[in-house]
Amino acid sequence: NNRISGTASATLTISSHGVGHENLIHSIEGDGQLDARKAELRGLNLANVISGSTQDTTSEPIASAQGTFHIANGAISTSNLLLENSQGRFQAEGHIDFSRALDLQIHPSIAHTAAKPVAAPPGFLLRGTIEAPIASAPSLAPQTPVRAATRAR
């Protein structure tokens, strides 16, 4: 489909076991690394979501997306996907399951915001599906414990 575009390279190591398509799909496990440039998810303008604007629905490419991911239990999970666009640098963590459902938290990168004296843009949640992504503001509950736990590893 034409929902995702851009240039990407990745390394992937996977294993699976069982007999039949369903058993093989459900037992997939592995790890990978992604490096994407000018990535675009059509219909989702991250710059508008981050700034809170609703004026332009044209997608803006993500200048770069880099990180590692793990595949298990029918989902692709990440805790260190770095996204960079015109609004700054962001970190994504969460998962995309094999049914294409999104469950990602995207927040300003700590390294990026520490170097800037201006207020950091807010984080947001990316839910829905790859075909119909939905971006929304997170609840007011602090996300620091999640970030701290990820950094402590």
Side-chain angles (χ1 to χ4, degrees), residues 20-87:
H21 183 271
E22 289 299 314
N23 288 334
L24 291 171
I25 293 295
H26 291 300
S27 68
I28 292 176
E29 291 188 7
D31 294 292
Q33 185 171 3
L34 173 70
D35 183 4
R37 306 282 181 219
K38 297 182 183 176
E40 184 176 355
L41 182 57
R42 286 184 185 34
L44 179 66
N45 186 330
L46 293 181
N48 281 356
V49 172
I50 293 163
S51 69
S53 173
T54 58
Q55 293 180 359
D56 182 13
T57 58
T58 305
S59 300
E60 176 187 329
I62 296 169
S64 70
Q66 298 175 322
T68 58
F69 55 91
H70 178 72
I71 302 169
N73 302 317
I76 302 168
S77 302
T78 186
S79 62
N80 68 349
L81 182 63
L82 292 176
L83 308 170
E84 192 165 346
N85 73 355
S86 64
Q87 298 293 314

